[in-house]
Amino acid sequence: ETGVTQTPRHLVMGMTNKKSLKCEQHLGHNAMYWYKQSAKKPLELMFVYNFKEQTENNSVPSRFSPECPNSSHLFLHLHTLQPEDSALYLCASSQEEGRLGTSGRLSTGELFFGEGSRLTVL
Amino acid sequence: SQELEQSPQSLIVQEGKNLTINCTSSKTLYGLYWYKQKYGEGLIFLMMLQKGGEEKSHEKITAKLDEKKQQSSLHITASQPSHAGIYLCGADIKLKGEYGNKLVFGAGTILRVKS
C-alpha cells in the first residue's frame, strides 16, 4: 500500500466510448503524474500537475484529457481512443515537482505509484 | 533513441547467484532512481542516488552512481525468488528551458530467479 489509489484497476472500452481513470492520494503531496506503460517500452510521462497546475504535457494526443481538481485527485478522461492506446496507466505523486533553479537543483525525489489501471481498447 | 538505456533487457539467474543491472543516460543526470515492479502493478521505490560515487544498500541490493559516465549499476547479492520482478531506473534530466527537469524511466530489466 503506497497511499496512491487508482480506479478502476481494469477497463475495457470501445473506440467510441468515453471513460475516466481516477487517482487519489492522501500523502499530502503537491505533484501528481500520469504515466503510460506499454509492453517492452519505457514508462512514458504523459502529464504533470504541480500545485494543481499542469506543468507538463508530453505531446499527448487530445483524446486524453487530464483534470486535477485539487492536490489529492487526478483524473484522466478518455474518448475516441485507438487500440494502440491499450496499456497500463500509472498514476504517481511526489512532494512536489523537481525544479532546477538558480539556487541549485531540486530533484523530483521519491515517486509513490498507484497499482495502475489496465486499459484495453477494442 | 531512449534517454535511459538499461541492460540486460531480461535476466534469469539461479537462486543464490549474484547479478548486476546497468542503467546509462544519454544526458546529464540530476538524480538517479531505482524502482521495482511486479507484473501489472505499480512501482516500488528502492533507492535514490544524487552524487557521483554515491553508493546505497538496502538489504541485499546495492546501487552505485558513476556521474562522469552518466550511469548507475544495481547489484543483487545471493538472489532470492523474492527478488524477481522488473527493475526500472529513472532519472531527473534537464529540460530544454532554464528551469525544470523531467523524470524519465528506462524500459526495465525483467529478472527471474530459478529455485
Side-chain angles (χ1 to χ4, degrees):
Chain A
E1 178 59 49
T2 62
V4 180
T5 305
Q6 287 188 245
T7 54
R9 292 292 312 277
H10 299 274
L11 179 63
V12 179
M13 59 188 287
M15 289 192 282
T16 57
N17 291 157
K18 285 186 182 181
K19 297 284 184 183
S20 295
L21 305 180
K22 179 183 175 183
C23 177
E24 189 173 353
Q25 57 93 4
H26 297 289
L27 301 168
H29 289 165
N30 296 302
M32 295 189 78
Y33 310 76
W34 279 117
Y35 281 89
K36 175 184 177 183
Q37 188 176 37
S38 304
K40 297 184 181 178
K41 287 186 180 179
L43 274 176
E44 296 174 50
L45 178 64
M46 299 175 73
F47 301 104
V48 182
Y49 278 82
N50 199 41
F51 293 92
K52 298 189 294 179
E53 288 199 14
Q54 189 180 124
T55 57
E56 176 80 23
N57 178 337
N58 199 21
S59 302
V60 180
S62 59
R63 56 186 184 269
F64 294 93
S65 174
E67 180 190 359
C68 187
N70 54 61
S71 292
S72 299
H73 293 85
L74 185 65
F75 294 89
L76 188 63
H77 303 301
L78 317 167
H79 64 97
T80 59
L81 295 191
Q82 304 297 312
E84 60 265 28
D85 295 324
S86 299
L88 182 67
Y89 288 85
L90 290 163
C91 172
S93 70
S94 67
Q95 191 59 49
E96 62 182 276
E97 188 186 14
R99 278 275 177 247
L100 295 170
T102 53
S103 61
R105 59 184 191 230
L106 174 63
S107 299
T108 301
E110 181 179 350
L111 288 184
F112 291 76
F113 282 85
E115 302 253 318
S117 293
R118 172 71 61 186
L119 173 66
T120 303
V121 181
L122 300 176
Chain B
S1 65
Q2 294 174 197
E3 288 149 328
L4 285 181
E5 293 281 349
Q6 277 187 246
S7 62
Q9 288 186 333
S10 64
L11 195 53
I12 303 173
V13 298
Q14 192 66 41
E15 183 177 354
K17 294 294 186 184
N18 303 337
L19 63 108
T20 300
I21 298 168
N22 294 300
C23 176
T24 303
S25 173
S26 59
K27 299 189 178 182
T28 304
L29 299 172
Y30 292 97
L32 191 290
Y33 308 81
W34 284 100
Y35 285 83
K36 181 185 175 185
Q37 182 182 28
K38 295 209 168 169
Y39 179 74
E41 297 182 7
L43 281 67
I44 302 296
F45 175 81
L46 294 176
M47 54 194 88
M48 173 184 172
L49 305 165
Q50 283 190 288
K51 299 175 185 175
E54 189 174 6
E55 180 175 322
K56 284 189 178 176
S57 293
H58 174 68
E59 297 178 344
K60 293 184 178 178
I61 302 175
T62 301
K64 299 178 186 179
L65 177 62
D66 186 332
E67 203 168 49
K68 282 186 182 176
K69 292 183 182 177
Q70 296 181 177
Q71 65 179 207
S72 175
S73 60
L74 184 85
H75 185 77
I76 299 178
T77 305
S79 57
Q80 301 293 313
S82 60
H83 287 128
I86 304 170
Y87 289 83
L88 295 99
C89 68
D92 283 310
I93 60 171
K94 193 173 186 301
L95 293 174
K96 288 180 183 176
E98 184 179 349
Y99 299 104
N101 56 4
K102 185 169 74 170
L103 179 54
V104 297
F105 286 88
T109 296
I110 301 171
L111 171 64
R112 295 190 179 90
V113 180
K114 292 195 300 184
S115 300

